[in-house]
């Protein structure tokens, strides 16, 4: 079964840091670009960050640029999101998502979503 | 303000047909980028419903269909069922903002 399982969420004070992890199984991890998508309480979906198959290309939403770092370890089938200088507006459920097509394209769909991990930034 | 514009809510009676619109611009749909649709049941992760404008993943009923024309897209649901009550999101790529979502539409089955 193709699966993504996030971990690492929790309660953190403003200005603090967290590292999210996403463990993958059931597909050739190194063949697919991966993204982080978040959803604030009662709000819609928001792209956060993306990474290419080999980790050589990374992309960030303006709202998290220079605070968040995406990375992957293809030997461990794991995706990461290092989040620094956290703000209350970063409070959300963070989803790890897989692109549908192994052939790189900008407008690919997200065919597999993790269950999400909740991040709460509050004093 | 989302880059892709969806109505906040739509509703329909069981058995009816409803459509959800998703309006983009020349930097996303108009530039030729495909639209995808996701369904999110309360308290769960989103699930891919339609990809590449009008394709259904395995297991998605043919009651769901998608289309795209110019800078607009739409999702149609026929034979509405109580279990279709959920939030629906469109998504695409934008040449300026990269990966973008619509604000979401809440479907209520009356």
């Amino acid at each position: 079964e193709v699966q993504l399982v996030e971990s690492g969420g929790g309660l953190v004070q403003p200005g603090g840091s967290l590292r999210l992890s996403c463990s993958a199984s059931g597909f050739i991890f190194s063949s697919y670009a991966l993204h982080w998508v978040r959803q604030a309480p009662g709000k819609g979906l928001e792209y956060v960050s993306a990474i290419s198959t080999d980790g050589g290309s990374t992309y960030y939403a303006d709202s998290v640029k220079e605070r968040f770092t995406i990375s992957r370890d293809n030997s461990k089938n794991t995706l990461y999101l290092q989040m620094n200088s956290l703000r209350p507006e970063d409070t959300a459920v963070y989803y790890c998502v897989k692109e549908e097509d192994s052939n790189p394209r900008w407008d690919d769909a997200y065919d597999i979503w993790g269950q999400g991990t909740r991040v709460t930034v509050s004093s | 303000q989302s880059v892709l514009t969806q109505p906040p809510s739509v509703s329909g009676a069981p058995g009816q047909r409803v459509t959800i619109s998703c309006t983009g611009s020349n930097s996303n749909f108009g530039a030729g980028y495909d639209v995808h649709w996701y369904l999110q049941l309360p308290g769960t992760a989103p699930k891919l419903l339609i990809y590449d404008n009008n394709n259904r993943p395995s297991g998605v009923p043919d009651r769901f269909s998608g289309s795209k024309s110019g800078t607009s897209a739409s999702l149609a649901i026929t034979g509405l069922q109580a279990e279709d009550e959920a939030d629906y999101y469109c998504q695409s790529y934008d040449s300026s903002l990269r990966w973008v979502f619509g604000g979401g539409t809440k479907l209520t089955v009356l």
Side-chain angles (χ1 to χ4, degrees):
Chain A
E1 180 190 6
V2 179
Q3 199 171 10
L4 297 169
V5 179
E6 303 94 336
S7 60
L11 174 63
V12 62
Q13 292 188 340
S17 298
L18 274 179
R19 188 174 87 152
L20 306 184
S21 299
C22 171
S23 179
S25 59
F27 64 98
I28 302 174
F29 184 80
S30 59
S31 293
Y32 293 88
L34 299 167
H35 297 232
W36 288 99
V37 173
R38 69 184 180 185
Q39 186 170 33
K43 301 296 185 183
L45 301 170
E46 179 189 18
Y47 149 73
V48 173
S49 184
I51 189 166
S52 61
T53 54
D54 64 359
S57 296
T58 57
Y59 310 89
Y60 300 94
D62 287 345
S63 58
V64 307
K65 204 170 290 185
E66 298 184 8
R67 298 189 299 122
F68 290 11
T69 302
I70 191 172
S71 62
R72 63 191 295 166
D73 186 335
N74 286 345
S75 68
K76 295 183 177 179
N77 287 0
T78 303
L79 173 72
Y80 303 100
L81 186 67
Q82 177 67 43
M83 304 187 297
N84 298 331
S85 302
L86 281 161
R87 305 166 179 169
E89 54 264 37
D90 295 319
T91 294
V93 174
Y94 284 73
Y95 295 102
C96 165
V97 297
K98 167 188 166 293
E99 287 192 1
E100 185 268 337
D101 195 342
S102 59
N103 293 315
R105 47 177 281 203
W106 292 114
D107 60 347
D108 205 354
Y110 300 142
D111 66 336
I112 303 296
W113 295 64
Q115 86 287 353
T117 187
R118 187 174 301 276
V119 172
T120 302
V121 184
S122 174
S123 54
Chain B
Q1 197 84 355
S2 301
V3 173
L4 304 179
T5 302
Q6 298 180 235
S9 63
V10 298
S11 63
Q16 283 189 334
R17 178 181 186 270
V18 296
T19 61
I20 299 173
S21 62
C22 177
T23 303
S25 67
N26 288 331
S27 60
N28 40 71
F29 297 159
Y33 294 115
D34 288 338
V35 65
H36 318 295
W37 292 89
Y38 303 89
L39 170 155
Q40 185 176 33
L41 295 169
T44 68
K47 166 192 162 184
L48 181 62
L49 192 62
I50 297 287
Y51 67 98
D52 295 354
N53 306 320
N54 55 15
N55 294 285
R56 288 185 307 277
S58 173
V60 173
D62 59 6
R63 301 187 296 106
F64 295 89
S65 63
S67 64
K68 192 193 95 170
S69 179
T71 58
S72 293
S74 66
L75 172 72
I77 309 172
T78 59
L80 204 58
Q81 300 180 3
E83 67 225 44
D84 298 333
E85 189 160 289
D87 293 327
Y88 292 81
Y89 294 90
C90 58
Q91 180 251 324
S92 185
Y93 183 82
D94 185 275
S95 54
S96 297
L97 298 173
R98 297 201 182 276
W99 296 275
V100 291
F101 287 93
T105 299
K106 182 176 183 61
L107 169 62
T108 300
V109 180
L110 302 171

